Amino acid sequence: MESGYVTTPFGRRPMSLGMLASQQLAETIEPGMKRSKWKLFRAICEARPALGVTDRALTVLDALLTFYPDDEISEEKGLIVFPSNAQLSLRARGMTPATLRRHLAVLVEAGLILRKDSPNGKRYARRDRAGEIGEAFGFSVAPLLARAVEIEGLAAEVVADRELIRATRERLTLCRRDISKLISAALDEAVPGDWEQMSSMFRDLVRRIPRVAEAEELATLLDEMWLLRDEVVNLLERHVKSQKIDANESHFERHKQNSNPHSTSELEPSFETKQDAKPAADNDPIAGPPDEQRLKHPASAGAMSGRRPGAAEPAAGHTLKSFPLGLVLQACPQILDYGPGGTIGNWRDLMSAAVVVRSMLGVSPSAYEKACAGMGPENAATVIACILERGGHINSPGGYLRDLTRRTEKGEFAIGPMLMALVRANGGVRRDAS
């Protein structure tokens, strides 16, 4: 009993399981299926990397297809082409016989063509009395027809990926241009902010852009670039808004009347600065005067920072000690509005509210993640609550949070003074947490 599809190569060429699988696949062509040989060839060229063939092998395939008698490949027209090596070499732009054989083997190995060798290894066809081909020996293009849907799908994926990479690179270029020009404008206008760090982050992102990259890699870089762009834009928008507010306040300053002659400010709660403390412009916008004031009153400083008198400062790189949730909510009652259902009953609720507020304040995810890693998640959420409480006095919440994170890593920052200053500023008024 004869097998319908199995054929082995002539001479010393070995048989392989891959050839057997290709021959089996060639028998699964759907009835009536046909494809334009040149459209299919273009799809193969698009999907070349996925199919594992070289450009020289495609030159040979192009030459083979010129010997197929019709524009459409179909079983009705036959699937065997049988050119001699001399004819094939001419149509393959003068390729040498040895190179021709090597690339024919590549096409066979890739499962794009099949060998159907005659008993003596020659390529020819037997014709009947009517001139129709009865049996032919040469190369079968049946795998092309059997794998047509697969090849077209691979080509479509390659084209889509290429278009996605092109579009992503365009957006990346626009984002790079925006960040570069916005930072330059900020420096020219002397806008307050940590522009040196932002410029360093920008240069690092630009250095990471590869000349050749996959779409996923470029998409990741684009996301990081957009976060940096958003942070720059938010900082500049806040500066523009503050200038408008300052201009309006200056215009109407002569109409203001202070009803309390002993109060130093109607808008800014007192942080009890001492006579020899640093000017208000150098003070922390939340905690008031820095370490100089606390050094004069060590007992008070220890109570505000949550440490015993005489205890050592936190080591650089260590997380801070968290404070009671009740004290945090007493200092920062505004955060309650952003908790689940408008309440905060535990640390998990506070951290969930901090994520919402972080986005509202324009603090980038990377800045908040670094704060969580440097301070601990509870303390990072506490700092976000403090920033919300004094948001109108902080030009750049993102830059301020990054600065506090750096000071925490150096052991130069404690949350206690910040919380106590806000408790005093709020007059000790406390809203219920639940």
Side-chain angles (χ1 to χ4, degrees):
M1 180 178 180
E2 294 184 0
S3 177
Y5 66 87
V6 176
T7 177
T8 57
F10 172 78
R12 291 179 294 178
R13 288 192 295 267
M15 183 67 177
S16 68
L17 294 179
M19 293 180 187
L20 188 63
S22 296
Q23 292 178 18
Q24 188 176 18
L25 178 65
E27 293 292 311
T28 62
I29 299 173
E30 296 180 4
M33 187 174 185
K34 56 180 66 178
R35 284 292 189 279
S36 166
K37 63 181 181 181
W38 299 123
K39 289 183 179 179
L40 191 55
F41 178 72
R42 282 193 292 272
I44 294 169
C45 292
E46 292 283 6
R48 180 176 66 82
L51 295 172
V53 292
T54 63
D55 53 349
R56 298 295 299 280
L58 291 182
T59 300
V60 176
L61 180 60
D62 182 23
L64 274 176
L65 290 176
T66 62
F67 290 98
Y68 193 81
D70 200 72
D71 182 66
E72 286 189 333
I73 302 174
S74 64
E75 287 188 288
E76 291 77 9
K77 301 291 179 62
L79 298 172
I80 305 293
V81 291
F82 39 89
S84 66
N85 279 349
Q87 292 174 317
L88 192 55
S89 177
L90 287 174
R91 297 197 187 182
R93 297 169 179 80
M95 191 176 291
T96 63
T99 305
L100 189 67
R101 286 192 295 270
R102 185 167 68 252
H103 291 299
L104 284 169
V106 170
L107 293 172
V108 172
E109 192 67 26
L112 296 178
I113 61 173
L114 288 175
R115 291 183 184 275
K116 186 177 179 182
D117 289 345
S118 65
N120 62 1
K122 301 294 184 180
R123 300 175 200 139
Y124 57 88
R126 290 202 185 95
R127 300 180 182 271
D128 57 21
R129 292 182 177 179
E132 298 292 332
I133 297 177
E135 188 173 14
F137 298 96
F139 296 103
S140 172
V141 295
L144 296 182
L145 200 57
R147 299 180 63 186
V149 175
E150 175 198 351
I151 291 169
E152 290 163 352
L154 289 172
E157 290 178 7
V158 170
V159 172
D161 285 345
R162 186 169 63 239
E163 179 61 23
L164 178 60
I165 289 173
R166 183 197 62 78
T168 305
R169 281 196 179 276
E170 282 185 356
R171 290 195 291 270
L172 198 58
T173 299
L174 292 174
C175 191
R176 284 177 58 183
R177 186 184 69 191
D178 290 348
I179 295 174
S180 177
K181 290 183 179 289
L182 288 172
I183 291 178
S184 296
L187 293 173
D188 292 342
E189 300 289 339
V191 177
D194 195 351
W195 299 111
E196 182 179 351
Q197 184 192 16
M198 290 186 183
S199 297
S200 176
M201 293 171 61
F202 176 58
R203 288 193 298 269
D204 180 63
L205 285 172
V206 172
R207 280 194 296 267
R208 286 169 52 195
I209 299 175
R211 295 179 65 85
V212 179
E214 298 294 330
E216 294 80 4
E217 186 178 2
L218 288 176
T220 300
L221 284 170
L222 180 61
D223 288 342
E224 295 183 41
M225 195 81 76
W226 271 109
L227 287 175
L228 179 60
R229 180 188 181 278
D230 288 344
E231 189 163 348
V232 172
V233 170
N234 287 338
L235 188 56
L236 293 175
E237 287 179 345
R238 286 179 181 274
H239 176 69
V240 172
K241 188 181 296 183
S242 69
Q243 284 186 322
K244 291 180 179 179
I245 293 174
D246 291 344
N248 291 335
E249 288 180 351
S250 176
H251 182 70
F252 295 105
E253 184 68 27
R254 61 181 180 273
H255 300 292
K256 290 186 177 180
Q257 298 295 329
N258 191 342
S259 61
N260 183 3
H262 301 291
S263 173
T264 59
S265 172
E266 292 182 347
L267 301 177
E268 176 70 18
S270 172
F271 289 125
E272 300 181 7
T273 58
K274 303 302 180 183
Q275 291 180 356
D276 54 352
K278 293 183 180 180
D282 297 330
N283 294 341
D284 186 287
I286 296 179
D291 297 337
E292 180 181 347
Q293 179 181 345
R294 297 201 301 272
L295 289 174
K296 295 186 178 182
H297 303 280
S300 175
M304 288 188 294
S305 63
R307 300 190 305 278
R308 298 186 307 276
E313 290 284 337
H318 288 230
T319 56
L320 303 173
K321 176 184 176 181
S322 59
F323 284 76
L325 180 61
L327 177 61
V328 175
L329 297 178
Q330 183 180 0
C332 312
Q334 291 186 39
I335 194 71
L336 287 166
D337 296 329
Y338 301 91
T343 62
I344 293 177
N346 51 53
W347 281 107
R348 183 181 295 274
D349 292 345
L350 179 64
M351 288 186 281
S352 297
V355 171
V356 176
V357 172
R358 188 272 310 161
S359 177
M360 183 188 71
L361 292 175
V363 176
S364 67
S366 62
Y368 188 61
E369 287 172 8
K370 288 181 180 178
C372 289
M375 303 177 181
E378 294 88 354
N379 288 314
T382 299
V383 171
I384 288 292
C386 292
I387 294 174
L388 172 66
E389 200 69 24
R390 302 292 289 153
H393 301 270
I394 300 173
N395 289 331
S396 172
Y400 181 61
L401 181 62
R402 289 183 187 276
D403 181 62
L404 295 184
T405 303
R406 286 195 297 271
R407 289 167 55 190
T408 300
E409 292 170 350
K410 297 177 181 178
E412 298 174 354
F413 171 66
I415 298 180
M418 178 183 290
L419 287 175
M420 298 309 295
L422 288 173
V423 168
R424 292 194 301 272
N426 290 329
V429 178
R430 180 176 176 179
R431 290 168 57 180
D432 293 335
S434 61

